[in-house]
């Protein structure tokens, strides 16, 4: 997941830059019924979809070890 840490003052602030990784014309996520575009997450990846899926480099046609449950890509109706 593309969550980068940037130093701010005495601590760190998390900057969420997944919009930089997401490729809407290449990623399955765009047409998946489980996808929540507001925060780039889904039922299988509630803490954020991995960069390789968001970018379209990998498909989510099979269950991943790192995911929650058994949901996979399902096209919107």
């Amino acid at each position: 997941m593309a969550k980068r840490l940037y130093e701010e003052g005495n601590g760190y602030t998390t900057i969420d830059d997944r919009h930089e990784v997401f490729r809407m014309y290449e990623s399955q996520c765009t047409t998946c019924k489980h996808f929540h575009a507001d925060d780039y997450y889904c039922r299988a990846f509630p803490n954020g979809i991995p960069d390789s899926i968001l970018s379209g480099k990998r498909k989510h046609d099979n269950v991943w070890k790192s995911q929650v449950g058994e949901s996979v890509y399902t096209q919107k109706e």
Side-chain angles (χ1 to χ4, degrees):
M1 247 182 323
K3 283 196 174 185
R4 315 288 189 232
L5 292 177
Y6 294 95
E7 191 169 354
E8 183 178 281
N10 296 332
Y12 286 91
T13 300
T14 302
I15 304 296
D16 186 353
D17 60 355
R18 288 177 282 186
H19 65 281
E20 296 289 337
V21 175
F22 181 54
R23 302 287 178 255
M24 68 182 296
Y25 298 111
E26 298 172 29
S27 175
Q28 286 181 316
C29 298
T30 305
T31 59
C32 184
K33 75 176 192 177
H34 304 296
F35 181 58
H36 296 274
D38 55 339
D39 286 331
Y40 304 98
Y41 74 96
C42 69
R43 179 184 294 179
F45 301 103
N47 294 319
I49 300 168
D51 291 355
S52 58
I53 295 175
L54 275 178
S55 69
K57 291 179 182 174
R58 295 191 62 195
K59 303 288 185 191
H60 188 216
D61 295 330
N62 298 304
V63 175
W64 286 36
K65 291 179 184 178
S66 61
Q67 78 174 61
V68 174
E70 296 184 5
S71 297
V72 294
Y73 171 78
T74 307
Q75 188 166 353
K76 294 177 189 176
E77 294 180 10

